[in-house]
Amino acid sequence: MPDFDASTPPPFVRLASDPLRWRLLQELARSDRRVRELVDAVGQPQNLVSYHLRKLRTAELVTARRSSFDGRDTYYHLDLRRCADALAEAGTALHPALGTGGAERKPGRPRVLFLCTGNSGRSPMAAALLRHRTGAEAASAGSHPKPLNPHAVRAMAEYGIALTHEPTHLDSVRRRRFEWVISLCDRVREVAPEFPGRPRVVHWSIPDPARDADGFPAFQRVAAELDTRIGFLTAADVR
């Protein structure tokens, strides 16, 4: 976010002080959402929700991605790293001792299931990263499982992880209990079953790197995004 006059509230404070924008930030902090889901969640007209989303996008706190399931839909995502930096900046503007420096990791050993369509890249990478960070019980599955992509193995090696995984159909895990079920692609979100125990269900709209012409660099980008999201998941929510 741009530099600001120290005599006025920092940009994040001014943005978040609006009650509706704060509600939108709260919803997007939990999961990627479509506009109609945000409209239902906050109980406000779509034109008003869209207006405030534009404000948040202009501030580069929220990004948008076209749905890989239905190209007419768009998923909105809150950049938690940028929010952490903006909050630290706001704290420092009030008093130097209040700068947080970002989220701190909290230990936790939850049972987490990651889902994607092919179970060959995104979901096994996510499970491996969570296990690497916390030792949590993390599993992955897909609606149309395929063999593990070699680019995923190579991307995880850059994090010191020796990735191994057998393709797993989501039907084989649908009766297991998890605290969290996190879908990583828009297609699998539409077909994911209900799981016992009422787990917390979250959606991260992440593009399929196997469909990206960039090849391995696309897997590196997805690995970096997963690592960032999982870092905030473990720091703030999974405990």
Side-chain angles (χ1 to χ4, degrees):
M1 300 179 78
D3 293 336
F4 57 90
D5 182 350
S7 65
T8 63
F12 183 84
V13 174
R14 296 199 298 270
L15 277 168
S17 64
D18 180 273
L20 179 52
R21 281 199 288 269
W22 181 250
R23 287 286 310 282
L24 294 173
L25 289 170
Q26 286 181 311
E27 287 298 320
L28 292 173
R30 298 185 182 103
S31 178
D32 294 0
R33 303 287 192 194
R34 293 171 286 198
V35 169
R36 63 177 178 272
E37 293 170 333
L38 291 170
V39 167
D40 291 343
V42 302
Q44 296 293 332
Q46 180 171 330
N47 62 339
L48 188 59
V49 170
S50 295
Y51 167 79
H52 287 289
L53 282 174
R54 282 196 296 273
K55 291 285 188 181
L56 295 171
R57 290 183 67 187
T58 299
E60 298 182 339
L61 294 174
V62 169
T63 58
R65 279 182 178 152
R66 189 70 67 181
S67 169
S68 60
F69 175 74
D70 183 347
R72 294 171 296 180
D73 265 335
T74 297
Y75 277 97
Y76 290 88
H77 164 61
L78 179 63
D79 188 333
L80 288 170
R81 174 58 62 192
R82 188 175 288 273
C83 282
D85 292 343
L87 283 166
E89 179 183 74
T92 301
L94 185 60
H95 189 284
L98 296 179
T100 65
E104 295 181 359
R105 189 177 301 178
K106 297 180 182 178
R109 296 180 65 86
R111 290 167 296 181
V112 181
L113 175 65
F114 292 98
L115 298 175
C116 68
T117 299
N119 192 221
S120 62
R122 288 165 291 183
S123 57
M125 289 163 67
L129 284 163
L130 181 59
R131 288 193 296 267
H132 184 67
R133 277 182 172 271
T134 69
E137 182 183 335
S140 69
S143 57
H144 295 80
K146 301 175 183 177
L148 189 62
N149 193 301
H151 287 323
V153 176
R154 185 179 168 195
M156 288 295 92
E158 295 186 338
Y159 292 79
I161 298 170
L163 180 61
T164 59
H165 176 68
E166 289 296 326
T168 304
H169 198 283
L170 62 84
D171 284 344
S172 68
V173 296
R174 66 188 305 165
R175 291 181 176 84
R176 291 175 55 185
R177 289 180 177 266
F178 299 93
E179 279 74 45
W180 291 71
V181 174
I182 302 176
S183 55
L184 303 178
C185 79
D186 306 330
R187 291 182 180 275
V188 81
R189 186 193 189 201
E190 303 298 327
V191 300
E194 292 187 6
F195 289 84
R198 305 180 72 176
R200 184 166 180 180
V201 178
V202 170
H203 180 58
W204 297 347
S205 181
I206 297 178
D208 185 357
R211 293 178 175 269
D212 194 310
D214 277 357
F216 177 61
F219 280 80
Q220 290 178 301
R221 290 192 295 271
V222 166
E225 179 170 349
L226 287 171
D227 190 51
T228 296
R229 292 199 191 223
I230 287 169
F232 280 98
L233 183 74
T234 59
D237 291 311
V238 174
R239 52 185 179 269

